[in-house]
Amino acid sequence: RDFDAMASLGAGDAIYVPNVDGGFIAGHIVDIGSDGSVDVKLDSTNGTKRIPLNEVRPRVVRNDGSTCPDNTCLDHLNDATILENLNQRHQQDEIYTYTASVLLAVNPYKEIE
């Protein structure tokens, strides 16, 4: 976990929260409570959810479609950002992604040219 980034989170910051069905949901911090919980506005539903701060993952909003060919180049290296990067690269037919010297491959289930 990116503990320095976690310590500096504040209202308005982009984050991921765990999804009950698996994976993560993008959102923004509305408020950080004194009890170690966070109010989050979910991007997908515009709903608000209160969750423990230790379940939040910092994220960087990229609107240009760029991805990282090596996960170690991500601004925040955590499970949510790695999954997002792999998903974005898969959608662009970039099925190979490194994490340092480890090559990750996502099966495209189609012919890639």
Side-chain angles (χ1 to χ4, degrees):
R1 302 272 309 243
D2 190 346
F3 292 106
D4 290 336
M6 295 295 291
S8 65
L9 287 176
D13 286 346
I15 50 113
Y16 285 109
V17 296
N19 184 353
V20 293
D21 297 326
F24 295 87
I25 301 173
H28 288 82
I29 293 177
V30 175
D31 185 42
I32 298 179
S34 59
D35 62 350
S37 64
V38 181
D39 290 328
V40 176
K41 181 177 180 256
L42 303 175
D43 292 353
S44 59
T45 64
N46 287 327
T48 304
K49 184 176 186 176
R50 183 180 269 295
I51 62 167
L53 179 60
N54 65 352
E55 292 185 14
V56 208
R57 309 294 195 277
R59 73 179 170 107
V60 173
V61 178
R62 287 191 169 82
N63 294 321
D64 61 0
S66 66
T67 62
C68 295
D70 188 329
N71 284 323
T72 60
C73 295
L74 293 169
D75 291 329
H76 301 291
L77 188 59
N78 59 56
D79 47 357
T81 57
I82 290 172
L83 288 173
E84 177 196 36
N85 191 52
L86 290 173
N87 183 45
Q88 294 282 332
R89 290 182 58 74
H90 182 265
Q91 289 177 7
Q92 297 171 5
D93 289 337
E94 297 290 341
I95 62 170
Y96 300 110
T97 305
Y98 281 94
T99 302
S101 62
V102 177
L103 178 63
L104 305 174
V106 180
N107 190 336
Y109 294 103
K110 66 180 183 177
E111 195 75 30
I112 300 231
E113 297 177 25

